[in-house]
Amino acid sequence: MEIAMVTGASSGMGKEFVKQLSGMGGLDQIWVAARREERLKGLAREVGTPLRIFACDLTQPAGIGEVKAALSAERPHIRYLANCSGFAKFGAFDAISEADSLAMIDLNVRALVQMTLAAVPYMESGGHILEIASTAAFQPLPDMNIYAATKAFVLSYSRALNREIGKRGVTVTAVCPGWTKTEFFDVAKKDADAGAVRNFLFPSLPQNVVARALKDAQKGRELSVYGIFNKLHLFFAKILPASSVMTLWDAMK
Ligand SMILES: NC(=O)c1ccc[n+]([C@@H]2O[C@H](COP(=O)([O-])OP(=O)(O)OC[C@H]3O[C@@H](n4cnc5c(N)ncnc54)[C@H](OP(=O)(O)O)[C@@H]3O)[C@@H](O)[C@H]2O)c1
């Protein structure tokens, strides 16, 4: 059985990955994970490929456990893994609760690594892993400090993993979107310091970010950055000291 696995499929970029992967054809099933089951059921009615739904919290051992058990029972051939579950909170270190601070690390880092390790044994040459990082990975970000640090982890982890399992013909692409029109902002502002970050310059559409990411993965690229503004961001983050980029961020955010 040929499958794709997509976390965070109930909205935003994860949902878009499911639609575009289904549109490409050739998959028997797409396995989708997120907490909101009704959303996943709604998506199953929208796309042509059958979805297998895992309505679970991926920060909880039972969530990942359910996916691992299904993998070992069905032993599918995974062609694509897109790890899109993730969230941010806006605000300084003392404006975000400890629970939210740790949950960002648990979901953006721990669950992403767990899903990757769970999937790799079922991937063969020609398989693609897409890890959703962010342009936040390019430098530290005051008022998004933990979020940016989790995404720096994802970027570093993905690039090194790509070298390691590239030898088996599996590619790992770190997808680094800038601001993208999804529910990300509702979550980032809720129970946080909503005004800490106000300017969301040049937002992208999720369908464009995902189309670019899938093309980059198929070309075996280790990095996918959609849009000229985000490419310029990467360029300046490479040539300027991190302290200067943080000063620019503080002036623009
Ligand atoms: N939008 C942006 O501006 C932007 C920019 C750069 C990077 N990103 C990254 O892109 C990825 C996708 O975000 P998005 O923009 O598409 O935002 P989104 O629309 O809010 O989607 C986030 C997804 O994560 C899932 N999720 C949240 N908590 C979860 C949990 N505990 N267990 C399982 N799933 C969980 C949500 O589903 P449920 O709530 O149903 O669980 C949802 O499907 C994230 O990693 C985000 O950090 C976003």
Side-chain angles (χ1 to χ4, degrees):
M1 178 169 59
E2 301 281 316
I3 71 161
M5 290 176 68
V6 181
T7 72
S10 61
S11 74
M13 286 182 259
K15 184 175 178 179
E16 194 54 42
F17 268 111
V18 175
K19 288 182 180 174
Q20 294 194 23
L21 286 165
S22 174
M24 280 162 42
L27 294 167
D28 297 308
Q29 288 183 2
I30 302 177
W31 291 15
V32 295
R35 292 166 302 177
R36 289 170 294 176
E37 188 171 17
E38 281 314 310
R39 291 282 198 99
L40 298 175
K41 284 182 175 165
L43 182 58
R45 291 189 286 274
E46 273 183 58
V47 296
T49 309
L51 301 190
R52 177 159 178 172
I53 291 173
F54 296 86
C56 60
D57 183 338
L58 291 172
T59 62
Q60 300 303 313
I64 300 272
E66 210 185 310
V67 178
K68 280 187 184 169
L71 283 171
S72 83
E74 310 265 342
R75 307 202 64 77
H77 174 201
I78 303 173
R79 297 241 310 262
Y80 288 89
L81 166 68
N83 266 316
C84 305
S85 283
F87 79 98
K89 291 287 175 193
F90 296 150
F93 71 98
D94 53 357
I96 302 169
S97 70
E98 183 184 311
D100 280 339
S101 298
L102 297 179
M104 266 185 274
I105 299 170
D106 285 346
L107 185 63
N108 301 0
V109 173
R110 200 165 188 273
L112 179 141
V113 170
Q114 282 188 301
M115 284 298 295
T116 304
L117 294 178
V120 165
Y122 303 93
M123 300 188 82
E124 291 169 8
S125 184
H128 302 291
I129 299 173
L130 297 105
E131 307 285 27
I132 313 306
S134 168
T135 53
F138 301 157
Q139 68 292 293
L141 291 181
D143 290 335
M144 288 182 81
N145 67 27
I146 291 178
Y147 178 74
T150 65
K151 295 302 183 178
F153 175 96
V154 174
L155 177 57
S156 173
Y157 171 68
S158 306
R159 296 180 87 169
L161 185 65
N162 185 51
R163 286 290 173 102
E164 293 172 28
I165 63 172
K167 293 169 197 147
R168 293 194 213 169
V170 175
T171 69
V172 185
T173 303
V175 181
C176 297
W179 301 124
T180 306
K181 291 181 179 175
T182 68
E183 294 173 22
F184 174 88
F185 301 94
D186 305 332
V187 178
K189 289 176 182 175
K190 191 168 176 281
D191 306 321
D193 180 3
V197 183
R198 295 161 189 274
N199 293 319
F200 307 109
L201 297 174
F202 307 109
S204 308
L205 294 173
Q207 50 269 42
N208 294 336
V209 176
V210 167
R212 176 78 265 157
L214 286 169
K215 278 192 193 121
D216 286 335
Q218 284 153 5
K219 287 179 181 161
R221 293 189 174 143
E222 66 176 30
L223 200 60
S224 179
V225 180
Y226 171 78
I228 189 70
F229 181 74
N230 299 320
K231 288 186 162 97
L232 282 171
H233 180 166
L234 175 61
F235 174 74
F236 284 112
K238 274 184 181 166
I239 62 165
L240 293 175
S243 57
S244 305
V245 185
M246 282 195 280
T247 302
L248 275 172
W249 160 256
D250 275 334
M252 288 166 69
K253 73 178 192 277

